[in-house]
């Protein structure tokens, strides 16, 4: 009998798959993003983009950004939702979990607002799949010496 060897994912692939799974919970009509905070190969918290708890989802209330014709990447404050990175940070804080010196796995590169939060939260590495053009975020991560690494999706 021939046994086909199992292929175990490496740690980066494993946690990015978790971030991709979290993104499936997104209630955003424009972009589905997931994030996972990890320290010492242990998942600390997850997040996905969407409205706060007890607030009507955008698929019911409508997208305020679409209604106001706000282009992607602009005027982040004009949105009912939070970003995946913000929700991951909030979940960790809500449960009293320190995220200092942890890594974050994001399906999309963080925006400048999230970059500021991640830097001040003590995040040391940003692992991401998709680009998001925000030069300010990239410049701040570089200045704060936060490692950024784009991961390639593994063939399924």
């Amino acid at each position: 009998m021939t046994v086909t060897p199992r292929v175990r994912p490496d740690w980066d692939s494993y946690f990015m798959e978790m971030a991709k799974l979290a993104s499936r919970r997104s209630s955003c009509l424009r972009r589905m993003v997931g994030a996972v905070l990890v320290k010492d190969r242990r998942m600390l918290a997850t997040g996905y983009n969407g409205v706060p708890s007890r607030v009507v989802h955008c698929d019911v209330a409508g997208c305020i950004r679409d209604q106001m014709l706000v282009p992607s990447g602009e005027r982040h404050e004009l949105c009912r939702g939070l970003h995946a990175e913000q929700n991951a940070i909030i979940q960790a804080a809500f449960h009293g979990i320190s995220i200092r010196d942890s890594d974050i796995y994001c399906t999309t590169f963080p925006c400048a607002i999230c970059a500021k939060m991640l830097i001040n939260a003590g995040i040391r590495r940003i692992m991401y799949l998709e680009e998001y053009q925000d030069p300010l975020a990239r410049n701040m991560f570089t200045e704060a010496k936060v490692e950024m690494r784009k991961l390639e999706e593994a063939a399924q």
Side-chain angles (χ1 to χ4, degrees):
M1 173 157 125
T2 318
V3 176
T4 306
R6 288 187 307 147
V7 178
R8 293 178 63 202
D10 61 43
W11 288 108
D12 287 337
S13 299
Y14 176 74
F15 290 120
M16 189 56 77
E17 285 298 318
M18 299 281 194
K20 287 167 56 178
L21 181 60
S23 77
R24 292 176 50 197
R25 290 280 307 151
S26 171
S27 63
C28 180
L29 300 174
R30 285 184 161 199
R31 181 188 305 255
M32 296 174 73
V33 181
V36 175
L37 286 160
V38 175
K39 185 173 182 179
D40 299 328
R41 296 184 178 164
R42 301 289 183 259
M43 190 165 47
L44 303 176
T46 65
Y48 52 87
N49 56 329
V51 298
S53 298
R54 300 181 309 279
V55 173
V56 175
H57 290 282
C58 297
D59 59 352
V60 175
C63 176
I64 189 171
R65 293 175 62 78
D66 281 347
Q67 294 164 7
M68 297 177 73
L69 304 175
V70 179
S72 178
E74 296 180 16
R75 305 289 313 268
H76 295 289
E77 75 281 6
L78 294 176
C79 181
R80 294 166 48 83
L82 293 129
H83 289 186
E85 303 90 333
Q86 295 167 354
N87 271 323
I89 291 168
I90 291 165
Q91 282 302 306
F94 186 86
H95 294 287
I97 300 167
S98 172
I99 60 173
R100 180 187 295 168
D101 297 324
S102 64
D103 302 332
I104 191 163
Y105 290 79
C106 304
T107 57
T108 302
F109 189 81
C111 72
I113 294 170
C114 290
K116 292 182 268 189
M117 293 179 185
L118 293 167
I119 290 166
N120 273 2
I123 303 303
R124 64 183 187 103
R125 287 191 325 156
I126 311 294
M127 313 298 275
Y128 64 98
L129 282 178
E130 298 174 9
E131 291 291 345
Y132 182 76
Q133 296 306 317
D134 193 330
L136 179 57
R138 196 168 293 281
N139 290 343
M140 286 191 295
F141 283 138
T142 299
E143 187 175 340
K145 296 179 177 43
V146 175
E147 179 186 337
M148 299 165 277
R149 194 164 112 220
K150 185 177 196 287
L151 300 178
E152 300 301 320
E153 286 216 58
Q156 300 291 326

